[in-house]
Amino acid sequence: MNKREFLRAGSAAAAIVLAGNPAWAQSQIPAGYPADYAALLEGSRSEPDTLIYSNLQLTNWAKVLQGFKARYPWTNVKIVDLGSETFERYYAETATGGRTADMILSGGVDGWHEFVQKSGAKPYASPEAPSLPAWAQNAPGVYTVACDPALIIYNKRIISEAEAPKSLHAIAELIKKRPDLMKRLTTQSVSVSFGRAAAWAWIQHNKDAWDILQTLGPATRPERAVGGILEKISTGEH
């Protein structure tokens, strides 16, 4: 199995740890890894560049790439930030038989569902799998590599620290007390994959979700981009 087969989109981050001569490589293998992992590390010296498609900005990758390059200086990892077009680019290139990603990292839950249905992921079993929680192992060859929070932010000139909400339930209560805030709330639209995933998860964990949303809905103007949300809150529009 070569690296391209090994890493075909959706493998865990651990899957790209490639390096070394046999003795050196053996010393780099963490406890619990397969005995033949040293051969994979050694083989990386003759492998081509690793291409990763992602919807993360390059600044998010900086420390990862810095550490990877320091440990395996002969490797070259190329990140292509494709935003919402991550999977579409992969499908287009595989359809024509062209060079495409060795690995995909994307926060689009719906995109991963379709990707698995199309058998896009190589069913790679990471040596790290026994240390991962069940929810981080989404499908064979598809792993969760980060768990990011959803945040509530507010303009302190409009909402005091004392009344600042810490939950969607608290926002609903604030709306009832502050009719001047109608149409001044904002959130990411469910037409965006993260917004859709966050909304789905919240509804699953709150039995009164639809009652709360009925209060929040008329007061909210959703946005597609986080940049627009931040700008309009800072200026007082939202």
Side-chain angles (χ1 to χ4, degrees), residues 10 20 22 34 38 59 67 71 80 97 122 147 154-155 188 195 206 224:
T59 52
R71 189 162 188 173
V80 182
K122 193 72 176 178
C147 186
Y154 64 96
N155 187 318
Q188 197 167 39
N206 291 274
R224 288 190 59 85

Side-chain angles (χ1 to χ4, degrees), residues 57-79:
Q57 295 180 356
L58 297 181
T59 52
N60 295 106
W61 284 97
K63 292 294 184 180
V64 175
L65 296 181
Q66 181 181 342
F68 191 82
K69 192 70 173 178
R71 189 162 188 173
Y72 311 113
W74 61 89
T75 60
N76 183 36
V77 181
K78 181 180 180 182
I79 309 293

